[in-house]
Amino acid sequence: MEKDTKELTSGEQEVVRRLDVIRNNKKVQQFITGLKEDAENSGMSVKFKSRIKENESAINKFRKYKETSGIEDPEMWDSCGMMLIVEDEEEIYEFVRYMEGKVTIRENGLSDYVKEPKAGYRSVHMYSTFEVDEITVPSEIQIKTEAMSIAQDTIHDSIYKLEDLSYEKRNELSTAMFTIFEKSADADKLERRGDLEGATQLRSEAEQARLDNEQLLSE
């Protein structure tokens, strides 16, 4: 963060204070490690990733939320982030049921962007909480396939940061590109498994999506 902490507003300083507690408390690391072990002991194939939100990213999010809502909210519901990458959509929901027995889900703390994609983005998000040193530690668990993860990483870097585009245009472009990248990544997976017919079909669908959105993608 370029600004010194003293130059931040009181709300922004509270964001940093909360993150410092979360980042440096052993109980938080134990929570993350415990979930990683639970995932690996589930009997399903899974890749586990985790991170604590960076101060700069959290402050920018705090400012954006304040700007759009007029409310100062120092709690970052994705302060403690975890990602579970599974084999297919069926396993996403198996893991949701499995994780519901391992964490305390906050009220309305399940967002299913697989069934209802958000600007093309697909994943299931679970939001849980636990208490550390009188601070509520919010955690976000994202459960998705490898293709969904690849599409997210690619599109986040290429679209979400294009602030010169309108919000509507970014969403339109995002929706088109998620379909293309996710189907292409799934095709690569099928090809590695020897399912050449399935891979060819998915690549055909990805190409058709590209053609359907050719004008949008060329702008």
Side-chain angles (χ1 to χ4, degrees):
M1 198 72 192
E2 292 182 2
K3 278 189 172 184
D4 186 271
T5 304
K6 294 179 181 178
E7 297 181 50
L8 301 176
T9 67
S10 59
E12 292 165 358
Q13 288 184 33
E14 178 62 14
V15 170
V16 173
R17 187 186 75 82
R18 287 171 178 269
L19 285 173
D20 283 344
V21 171
I22 293 170
R23 192 175 291 115
N24 297 313
N25 194 288
K26 290 183 179 179
K27 292 181 181 178
V28 177
Q29 295 303 321
Q30 290 169 353
F31 173 78
I32 295 172
T33 300
L35 277 187
K36 181 176 185 294
E37 292 174 352
D38 286 336
E40 292 173 345
N41 292 331
S42 67
M44 291 177 274
S45 176
V46 60
K47 296 178 183 177
F48 184 95
K49 299 179 180 180
S50 66
R51 63 102 179 97
I52 304 297
K53 203 170 188 69
E54 295 292 335
N55 289 356
E56 182 173 5
S57 175
I59 290 172
N60 287 339
K61 186 172 183 177
F62 172 87
R63 290 171 178 168
K64 185 175 181 179
Y65 184 76
K66 180 182 177 181
E67 181 181 342
T68 56
S69 70
I71 300 172
E72 288 196 354
D73 183 4
E75 283 195 308
M76 297 287 118
W77 285 105
D78 59 348
S79 295
C80 180
M82 285 150 284
M83 184 185 297
L84 279 66
I85 300 176
V86 300
E87 285 293 312
D88 52 40
E89 287 188 26
E90 183 178 342
E91 279 201 353
I92 289 177
Y93 295 103
E94 289 182 23
F95 256 107
V96 168
R97 292 189 290 271
Y98 181 73
M99 283 295 165
E100 283 177 334
K102 303 294 181 181
V103 297
T104 301
I105 306 299
R106 70 180 179 92
E107 186 177 359
N108 301 318
L110 182 66
S111 297
D112 190 342
Y113 300 121
V114 174
K115 293 180 179 177
E116 298 183 11
K118 184 177 182 181
Y121 169 77
R122 301 207 307 152
S123 178
V124 171
H125 291 196
M126 302 176 72
Y127 298 93
S128 71
T129 60
F130 61 100
E131 301 295 319
V132 167
D133 295 345
E134 299 182 352
I135 285 183
T136 298
V137 179
S139 70
E140 177 189 65
I141 304 170
Q142 298 182 4
I143 308 176
K144 62 189 65 179
T145 66
E146 184 175 11
M148 294 174 189
S149 177
I150 291 171
Q152 179 192 12
D153 289 344
T154 305
I155 293 168
H156 182 275
D157 290 339
S158 61
I159 295 179
Y160 292 168
K161 297 178 182 179
L162 297 177
E163 297 183 357
D164 55 326
L165 289 181
S166 68
Y167 176 79
E168 291 76 14
K169 182 63 71 174
R170 272 183 287 170
N171 277 356
E172 189 179 358
L173 189 56
S174 174
T175 299
M177 289 188 67
F178 262 112
T179 299
I180 296 168
F181 278 99
E182 191 178 325
K183 286 184 179 295
S184 297
D186 270 332
D188 291 343
K189 181 178 72 174
L190 289 182
E191 187 173 61
R192 289 194 298 271
R193 292 178 174 178
D195 184 354
L196 301 184
E197 183 178 350
T200 299
Q201 176 61 34
L202 283 176
R203 289 203 174 98
S204 176
E205 292 175 10
E207 177 60 16
Q208 187 59 55
R210 187 190 68 78
L211 292 173
D212 291 344
N213 294 278
E214 191 169 17
Q215 182 175 350
L216 173 66
L217 296 171
S218 65
E219 292 177 357

